[in-house]
Each structure stands twice: as C-alpha cells, then as structure tokens.
Amino acid sequence: MIASDRFRLPLYFALTMALTAVAAAADVAGLVDIGSGRKMYLACRGEGSPVVVLISGKGNGAADWSEILDPSDPVHQADYDALAWGKGTSQKSASAVFPAVSRFTRVCAYDRPGVRLDGPDQSTPVAQPHKADVAADDLHRLLIAAGERGPYVLVAHSYGGVVAALFARTWPDDVAGLVMVDVVTELIRKAASPEAVAKWDEFNRASVPAAPEGVLLADAFAKIDAKPPLRELPAVVLSADKPWQPPSDAKKTDQVAGVSFDDWTASGVLLAKALNAPHVTRTRSGHNIYAYSPQLVIDAISEVVHAVRAGRKSVPH
C-alpha cells in the first residue's frame, strides 16, 4: 500500500542519510540488556546497510538461520513436509541464510524468550503465551540497545510474520523492506473460516516446559488491524509448496490445528498481492524454506537489499 505524498520526502532523506552513514561494525553474539531487568540474545555479523533482521517462527531462534537440510538428504524427495514430522537432519552450513547474507550486508538474528532451553546466554523468560506487539517492542528495544541502526530489512518466518507486520506499522521509518518466508498473516481470516482461525489461535497458545513459547494470534491480528497500513516497501513473499501432511492423510483440513494447508497457501497469495511483491511459490520446500532451499531466501533478501540501496519502492515481478 502506498503512503501519502507528504510522507515520502522526509522518509527518502532519512533513508539516504542512513545508507550513506555506514560504519564498520564488529561481529557480536551474546546477551544484550534491553531494560526492565531483561536481556535478550542477539547475534550480528557483517558490514553494510540496510541491516537485515531475521525474525524466527514460533519456538525457533537465531541458530535456525545458520542451519540447512543437507542437499543429499532423502527428505528433499518427500512429497510432503517431512522435516516438520521429525525426518531429516539440519546442520550448520556456510550456505545457510545468516552466514551467506553477512557476506553482502550486516545481518542480525535473535532469540525471543522461551525459544531456547540450554546455554548460559538464554533470553530472560517472560510469561507465556505472549502478545506479538510486545514481541515487536522487545525487538525494537533490542536493536536500539545493541546500537544496530535502521532502517532495517525485516526477514520473517512463520509467526515472525505478525511480529514484522506490527514492527513495520509501529515504526514505519525504521523499516526499509520486507522478506516474508511462509509467514502467518492476518489475511488468513480471508482464506479460512472463523471457526478454523479460532481453533488455530487456541492451538498456538499452548506453552509447555519442553516448548515454552506460546503466541496469541487473534490478538496479533486485532493489533495489526488497529495500526495504519504499511507504506509501499520493497518486498518478496515466499511460500512452501510441500503440504504439511503425508499424502495418506486428509489434505483439506488439519483436524488438530484448524487451519489447512490450502488456507495457508491462499493467505500467501493474498499477502503478496497486498504488498505488491513477487511471490516465489516453486520453492521445493516445506514450512522451513530457509532449511530446504536457503538460496531462495538469500536471493530474495539480496533483491530487497539492492532495491533499498537503489532507492526503489518495489522489487520487479
């Protein structure tokens, strides 16, 4: 969506100043004090602007963006998202999104509270389930405390999509572009029935000791609705093309979570249209596209970064 003309000139100058004031920055990996007695884990690497910020899905954190599914793993040949069913093995790789992006601009990834249960540098726990606008505020505070200057390119996966949407609507001058990787979007309500969405919201609220992070999707959608619309930004949307369930299962309805794969796929189409963004649908991937096909995500980020540097408001379709 296009912002009114009276906002364009100041934003352009702010963006130009940020892009020309680039200084070499040190690699970091550790806890950052965000105030109120809390710390969050942040890892940043590379140099250049705009800074790319990786926002993980529910229950996932910074480490996921440094891992891929081995290209030779037979899981790649499955006709459903076998990785989501515990098949295959992810491994650290220089070809993963985080290290690859660090070779052409600065990139940061972080852990929300409750996504990692081991190590001395865990983000300070909070009550679960949590609200997405609070998660967006946490990320904003984290980046400021760490001295990572915007405007940013937000790269969101899954639940990270609503965090990115709220961040971009709350601090529009701090966001220069978006890459949406098989994300949750408020537009799911136009694709799925109200009953399915309500069931999906309830399912995702769950928080147990082995998987503490719980999220409030319906609340996130309402908060997005209450914010001003996004201004026009360079953006790319990527969608999984491997269905969630094995072929032997019913494909139209997920009896546990409510929302079906068909609903999810339709919401991605709606999101790409709303953002006026190229929509990458032939991904040969399940939900974690960054693990199945990391180069597709890297290429999408590169396209958006180059569009921002060139002062363009969109990525060519």
Side-chain angles (χ1 to χ4, degrees):
M1 297 181 182
I2 301 174
S4 62
D5 289 341
R6 67 190 180 93
F7 292 109
R8 290 180 181 173
L9 195 59
L11 183 62
Y12 174 78
F13 280 120
L15 180 58
T16 301
M17 290 173 64
L19 293 178
T20 55
V22 178
D27 295 351
V28 297
L31 292 174
V32 176
D33 192 329
I34 65 167
S36 303
R38 293 179 54 209
K39 296 180 180 181
M40 292 181 69
Y41 178 82
L42 178 72
C44 299
R45 185 186 302 177
E47 298 177 8
S49 183
V51 176
V52 169
V53 180
L54 306 174
I55 307 174
S56 300
K58 178 176 180 277
N60 298 113
D64 293 79
W65 298 98
S66 292
E67 298 179 347
I68 66 169
L69 180 64
D70 190 305
S72 64
D73 196 304
V75 162
H76 282 286
Q77 309 308 317
D79 57 0
Y80 70 102
D81 188 1
L83 187 62
W85 288 75
K87 310 293 184 181
T89 304
S90 294
Q91 60 187 32
K92 291 191 71 172
S93 171
S95 299
V97 171
F98 182 85
V101 172
S102 74
R103 293 192 278 272
F104 60 83
T105 197
R106 188 156 178 82
V107 59
C108 297
Y110 73 109
D111 287 350
R112 287 188 303 274
V115 302
R116 182 158 54 88
L117 302 178
D118 56 6
D121 49 6
Q122 297 175 55
S123 297
T124 306
V126 298
Q128 300 286 354
H130 69 267
K131 296 181 178 181
D133 60 326
V134 175
D137 185 66
D138 282 352
L139 176 57
H140 192 248
R141 291 164 61 193
L142 174 62
L143 293 169
I144 291 172
E148 298 296 337
R149 297 181 57 184
Y152 314 104
V153 170
L154 303 181
V155 179
H157 174 248
S158 194
Y159 165 67
V162 292
V163 177
L166 284 162
F167 191 111
R169 285 166 168 80
T170 306
W171 300 279
D173 289 353
D174 288 344
V175 179
L178 296 169
V179 178
M180 305 298 245
V181 186
D182 213 42
V183 295
V184 176
T185 168
E186 73 281 5
L187 298 173
I188 191 70
R189 295 171 298 176
K190 294 185 177 182
S193 70
E195 295 78 14
V197 172
K199 190 174 184 180
W200 191 46
D201 174 56
E202 186 65 29
F203 178 79
N204 280 284
R205 290 168 178 256
S207 173
V208 297
E213 188 175 41
V215 301
L216 300 172
L217 296 181
D219 180 80
F221 299 159
K223 297 284 177 56
I224 292 170
D225 290 344
K227 294 287 185 181
L230 282 176
R231 62 182 178 85
E232 189 175 25
L233 293 168
V236 176
V237 174
L238 300 96
S239 293
D241 53 8
K242 289 180 181 286
W244 299 334
Q245 299 166 320
S248 58
D249 291 351
K251 294 184 178 181
K252 294 296 182 183
T253 304
D254 186 328
Q255 297 297 330
V256 176
V259 168
S260 71
F261 182 70
D262 288 346
D263 298 334
W264 181 271
T265 301
S267 73
V269 174
L270 294 171
L271 178 62
K273 183 176 181 180
L275 294 175
N276 187 29
H279 189 191
V280 183
T281 57
R282 297 190 64 178
T283 54
R284 303 174 299 283
S285 300
H287 184 46
N288 293 355
I289 300 174
Y290 58 83
Y292 278 97
S293 301
Q295 193 59 49
L296 289 179
V297 179
I298 295 161
D299 290 346
I301 296 170
S302 178
E303 285 188 274
V304 171
V305 165
H306 283 92
V308 172
R309 289 174 176 171
R312 298 197 302 269
K313 294 187 179 296
S314 62
V315 174
H317 287 57

